[in-house]
Amino acid sequence: MKRKSYQRKQKRVKRTRKAFTLFVAFASAIVVAFIALRVYVQVAGAPPLTVPKASIFLDENDNQIGDHFTNERRYWVDLDEMSPYLVKAAVAVEDKDFYKHNGFDFSRIAGAILVDIKAGSKVQGASTITQQYARNLYLSHEKSWTRKANEAIYAYRLEVFYDKNEILEGYLNTVYYGHGMYGVEAASRYYYGKSASDLTLAEASMLAGVPKGPSIYSPIANLDKATNRQHVILKLMADQGAITQAEKTRAEEEQLVLKNDMWVASKSVAPYFLDVAWQEASEILKTKNLDISEGGWTIQTTLNQGHQKAAEEAVASNMPANDLQAAFVSMESKTGAVTALVGGRDYATSSFNRVTQAKRQPGSTIKPILYAAALENGYTPLTFLDVGQTTFTYDNGRATYAPKNVNGEFAEHDMTMAQAIAISDNIYAVKTLEDIGFKNFHDMANRFSVNIGAKDNLSLALGTVETTLYEMTNAYNILASQGQKTLPTTIISIKNANGDVIYENKEVEKKAETVISKEDAYVLTEMMTGIFDPVFSDYSPATGIAIRSRMTHTYAAKSGSTNSDQWLIGYTPSLTAGVWNGYDQGKNLSAKEDMAATKQIWIDFMENVNKGTKNVDFTKPKDVKGVVIDIETGKLATDACPKQRLVYLNTQDVPTEKCTNFDILDSNTWGEFWNMLPFSIFKGEG
């Protein structure tokens, strides 16, 4: 009996020793694991807190006009910029011991493990706010033990290197609130149309309930369930002492007003313009080895909201009820700052930007660039050419080219450059190119940054090589800036998420590059005012006559047309605007309303933005002189010559001959007449 008792005692001792050994081994393993984890955490360092943030667009006056998101709609705000009710509500419902634990709530973990073991899978979470933040930053939402282990490691690293308020701020800026909204600021703007700093207790508690199940507890998706969860959160807040019972009661009784429909409407400010600005900002940041996809940028743009509204209204009110498309852009002459841009009739239907992306034949809008080259090669506004029907030969006489005018008719007399540009005579343009040579035209086009292709062909004079409205409008903007180089830009400055200025447009301060002389720019500009003057009308009317009656300011412009495109680009001394109309698939324009839209859009915009302002003439250089010319002869006009116009020329090009030697109102003419009489009595002799 004693032997058996001894044996049992020995077995108990062995079991106790074994259990103790296992305990010591397990405890040692935990200690070693903890030490190893601590060493790993210290070696790994602080995990980065970078998350995609919204980039904000401002107009020229610092008013917010839009935003841009790489993947998620998110605005980052500091903890002290959030409603304190929202912070308390989030802690109450998600992690009441947040400020007490070190990243893990072991009692919740134990309860969750029991539930998971019973279910045989990972079904219940016990994540603290720190763990959720770690998941939002670094992990997926997959329900697995591997993901949970990684989540714990990241959470521990966060607790080691960041304080509680930093973690809470990060969590509230990264959690998903449904409808594409990440973070409290985006959610607050979406649901309530206000900043997170202005949320009431009722609004904050409603919002705090959404992350548990955005598709279930969003007040837009299911108001009843959202309200029930709001009441649960308010009770938790009261029970935990975060609010009083009176505050809880008032919040439960408050009628909430959702304003998500207003938020949706606010997203449509100048969307085509913002696409261009985003692309330009991206290129600017690349030059500084920065990636725009990091987000958090504040991009101040050149957009003038008054101009943008005028442009959009002009397009909307003049487009026919068909598939005709439109493109519009306006620029400041001195800076190239884009003040308005419309890339199509409806961004929601098509985001294809017809200002910057569509390449179309510019037609006769190319002619001012050709004539700029001609002015440098001996031409003047009074250079006459025979513009009768002409067949040109090329390729050593093996091929011919017979250009026509838009109405199929031709002049029966020689014509000046001033008149040719006003009525857009094609024969004059082709003969000019043939005369000055392709090299001079290519050189001038390069200086104006306009593509005319590499091949030498007389049809280049009529704008047969495709280009964009953006390029062409900037070319005219160079003329408006008195021949000084301009580049279109949509960006004034870029700041990073910390408010540091990364880029500031200081192009205006640089010495301007001269494209053509200010004298030639002025002479060409004044010729381009002729499209609105009926004195130039001939076999075809001056091309801008249709809108002359609506003009209250001095404009220089040029129209262009092809079978499938209508253009009008023009400017004042301070602003240049370009319009294009056509079909995306290049269908021929035949309907009268299709071909009339372009000029009406342009004049609507120009008159709208210049309304109430003083008319300003183009600045005349001192070496340019204005003289009244007889259109038919190109000589100085007298009252005996009916077709007269003020024409500006370089001083050395001013004619000295009169259009006729007989002027009924000229005393010198009568003196010469009397001297020719043979009768001495009439000569006063006696």
Side-chain angles (χ1 to χ4, degrees):
M1 188 72 180
K2 289 182 178 180
R3 181 184 177 93
K4 288 183 178 180
S5 176
Y6 175 78
Q7 288 176 337
R8 283 196 298 270
K9 183 178 179 181
Q10 288 297 311
K11 286 180 180 181
R12 283 196 300 270
V13 170
K14 287 180 179 180
R15 283 197 299 269
T16 301
R17 287 176 179 174
K18 186 176 181 180
F20 179 75
T21 302
L22 289 173
F23 172 78
V24 170
F26 180 72
S28 299
I30 290 176
V31 171
V32 170
F34 181 79
I35 293 172
L37 177 62
R38 184 72 182 189
V39 170
Y40 165 75
V41 167
Q42 292 296 334
V43 171
L49 301 182
T50 303
V51 296
K53 304 180 183 72
S55 290
I56 306 300
F57 290 106
L58 309 175
D59 68 7
E60 61 175 0
N61 295 318
D62 284 331
N63 300 307
Q64 185 171 331
I65 55 174
D67 45 39
H68 193 285
F69 303 82
T70 50
N71 297 305
E72 303 169 354
R73 180 169 291 276
R74 184 199 317 277
Y75 307 88
W76 192 279
V77 291
D78 295 337
L79 197 65
D80 58 8
E81 294 176 322
M82 303 176 193
S83 165
Y85 292 127
L86 184 60
V87 176
K88 292 177 181 179
V91 172
V93 69
E94 296 293 343
D95 189 357
K96 65 182 177 62
D97 295 321
F98 172 70
Y99 284 100
K100 299 176 182 177
H101 61 63
N102 293 316
F104 308 98
D105 187 330
F106 292 104
S107 61
R108 291 176 66 187
I109 291 174
I113 289 174
L114 291 176
V115 173
D116 291 344
I117 291 174
K118 289 180 180 179
S121 63
K122 183 77 182 67
V123 296
Q124 182 168 314
S127 297
T128 61
I129 282 177
T130 308
Q131 288 174 279
Q132 292 182 60
Y133 183 33
R135 182 173 66 238
N136 293 340
L137 284 177
Y138 314 115
L139 303 167
S140 71
H141 288 256
E142 173 193 10
K143 289 187 176 182
S144 68
W145 292 107
T146 301
R147 195 270 293 162
K148 199 66 179 174
N150 286 328
E151 180 184 291
I153 292 172
Y154 275 116
Y156 183 60
R157 290 176 64 188
L158 288 172
E159 290 279 348
V160 168
F161 290 102
Y162 300 101
D163 66 38
K164 287 290 187 178
N165 284 341
E166 284 181 294
I167 293 171
L168 183 57
E169 178 182 299
Y171 166 76
L172 290 171
N173 276 293
T174 56
V175 67
Y176 183 52
Y177 284 91
H179 306 282
M181 303 296 125
Y182 288 79
V184 294
E185 184 68 9
S188 181
R189 293 188 193 185
Y190 178 77
Y191 288 109
Y192 303 118
K194 62 170 69 174
S195 173
S197 62
D198 300 324
L199 292 176
T200 65
L201 173 58
E203 292 167 337
S205 56
M206 176 74 78
L207 203 58
V210 177
K212 181 176 178 63
S215 62
I216 300 172
Y217 297 114
S218 159
I220 295 170
N222 192 318
L223 184 58
D224 289 340
K225 289 186 177 180
T227 302
N228 289 338
R229 181 154 176 78
Q230 176 204 35
H231 290 175
V232 169
I233 293 171
L234 288 169
K235 183 177 185 304
L236 288 172
M237 294 177 73
D239 291 346
Q240 295 169 24
I243 58 173
T244 66
Q245 286 295 330
E247 288 177 311
K248 169 180 175 290
T249 301
R250 284 196 300 271
E252 288 174 336
E253 294 174 350
E254 183 178 326
Q255 294 296 313
L256 299 185
V257 178
L258 300 175
K259 297 184 177 180
N260 60 294
D261 55 337
M262 293 176 60
W263 180 90
V264 171
S266 70
K267 293 195 298 179
S268 60
V269 177
Y272 291 105
F273 176 93
L274 294 182
D275 282 352
V276 176
W278 181 256
Q279 182 61 37
E280 185 180 350
S282 176
E283 295 301 322
I284 289 170
L285 290 173
K286 277 182 183 178
T287 65
K288 300 178 180 298
N289 296 317
L290 296 170
D291 187 355
I292 199 168
S293 65
E294 294 174 11
W297 309 104
T298 298
I299 304 170
Q300 185 181 11
T301 73
T302 58
L303 187 78
N304 179 314
Q305 291 205 57
H307 287 195
Q308 183 67 27
K309 182 181 179 183
E312 291 175 355
E313 288 178 351
V315 170
S317 61
N318 289 291
M319 294 296 286
N322 56 25
D323 294 330
L324 186 73
Q325 273 296 346
F328 175 94
V329 64
S330 59
M331 303 173 185
E332 289 182 357
S333 61
K334 295 189 183 304
T335 64
V338 177
T339 65
L341 189 149
V342 180
R345 294 179 72 165
D346 184 4
Y347 186 85
T349 302
S350 169
S351 61
F352 179 69
N353 194 325
R354 295 156 189 85
V355 172
T356 59
Q357 294 176 292
K359 292 189 174 184
R360 308 296 286 252
Q361 292 183 355
S364 293
T365 57
I366 202 71
K367 289 176 182 175
I369 298 174
L370 172 64
Y371 294 146
L375 290 173
E376 288 189 351
N377 286 274
Y379 278 61
T380 79
L382 301 181
T383 298
F384 278 90
L385 293 179
D386 177 2
V387 291
Q389 186 170 4
T390 307
T391 299
F392 300 86
T393 59
Y394 61 97
D395 194 17
N396 295 321
R398 290 191 291 267
T400 61
Y401 175 52
K404 295 181 180 180
N405 292 311
V406 68
N407 62 0
E409 298 182 20
F410 301 89
E412 297 178 353
H413 54 83
D414 290 359
M415 185 175 291
T416 63
M417 181 191 289
Q419 187 171 19
I421 199 170
I423 68 172
S424 202
D425 186 272
N426 287 337
I427 305 301
Y428 196 103
V430 177
K431 281 195 171 183
T432 300
L433 177 56
E434 185 182 48
D435 183 34
I436 68 171
F438 293 104
K439 183 179 182 303
N440 287 319
F441 188 27
H442 281 290
D443 173 63
M444 187 60 69
N446 288 337
R447 284 151 62 183
F448 274 91
S449 301
V450 171
N451 174 47
I452 61 169
K455 294 183 179 180
D456 292 341
N457 190 308
L458 288 175
S459 66
L460 295 179
L462 306 183
T464 54
V465 176
E466 294 178 341
T467 185
T468 66
L469 180 63
Y470 211 49
E471 276 187 4
M472 289 303 301
T473 305
N474 181 62
Y476 280 55
N477 205 46
I478 291 172
L479 295 175
S481 64
Q482 298 180 292
Q484 301 302 297
K485 186 76 171 181
T486 62
L487 292 173
T489 181
T490 59
I491 306 297
I492 294 176
S493 66
I494 303 174
K495 295 179 181 178
N496 63 17
N498 297 321
D500 303 319
V501 177
I502 303 301
Y503 168 81
E504 191 168 10
N505 189 343
K506 296 184 178 179
E507 293 298 317
V508 183
E509 300 174 11
K510 295 181 180 179
K511 184 177 180 181
E513 174 188 340
T514 298
V515 175
I516 60 173
S517 71
K518 61 183 178 181
E519 290 80 13
D520 283 351
Y522 182 80
V523 167
L524 187 52
T525 292
E526 285 296 334
M527 281 198 288
M528 291 167 64
T529 65
I531 78 164
F532 306 108
D533 194 339
V535 73
F536 284 120
S537 296
D538 198 270
Y539 66 87
S540 182
T543 57
I545 291 297
I547 56 177
R548 174 185 170 86
S549 62
R550 299 187 56 196
M551 293 169 49
T552 61
H553 287 65
T554 301
Y555 302 120
K558 183 71 187 76
S559 61
S561 61
T562 71
N563 290 336
S564 56
D565 306 276
Q566 288 284 320
W567 301 67
L568 183 64
I569 310 174
Y571 51 93
T572 66
S574 60
L575 187 68
T576 304
V579 183
W580 167 88
N581 286 111
Y583 291 93
D584 284 338
Q585 304 306 318
K587 185 176 73 173
N588 283 357
L589 300 173
S590 56
K592 184 178 180 181
E593 57 266 30
D594 287 358
M595 293 183 281
T598 309
K599 292 172 184 175
Q600 296 302 325
I601 291 171
W602 188 86
I603 195 63
D604 270 7
F605 172 81
M606 288 303 242
E607 285 296 307
N608 189 324
V609 299
N610 287 305
K611 186 176 181 180
T613 64
K614 182 181 178 182
N615 183 45
V616 178
D617 291 327
F618 298 99
T619 303
K620 183 177 76 67
K622 64 179 181 179
D623 292 331
V624 172
K625 185 176 181 180
V627 288
V628 179
I629 298 294
D630 171 49
I631 299 303
E632 294 181 344
T633 64
K635 298 178 181 180
L636 296 173
T638 69
D639 289 335
C641 304
K643 298 191 72 173
Q644 302 179 13
R645 191 183 198 267
L646 180 63
V647 175
Y648 289 86
L649 304 104
N650 284 298
T651 305
Q652 69 270 19
D653 297 326
V654 174
T656 56
E657 290 185 66
K658 295 180 180 179
C659 61
T660 177
N661 290 325
F662 185 85
D663 186 344
I664 194 169
L665 298 179
D666 190 332
S667 60
N668 292 328
T669 297
W670 282 108
E672 292 175 7
F673 175 75
W674 289 114
N675 287 331
M676 289 165 46
L677 291 175
F679 309 107
S680 61
I681 188 174
F682 295 108
K683 298 183 181 180
E685 297 177 2

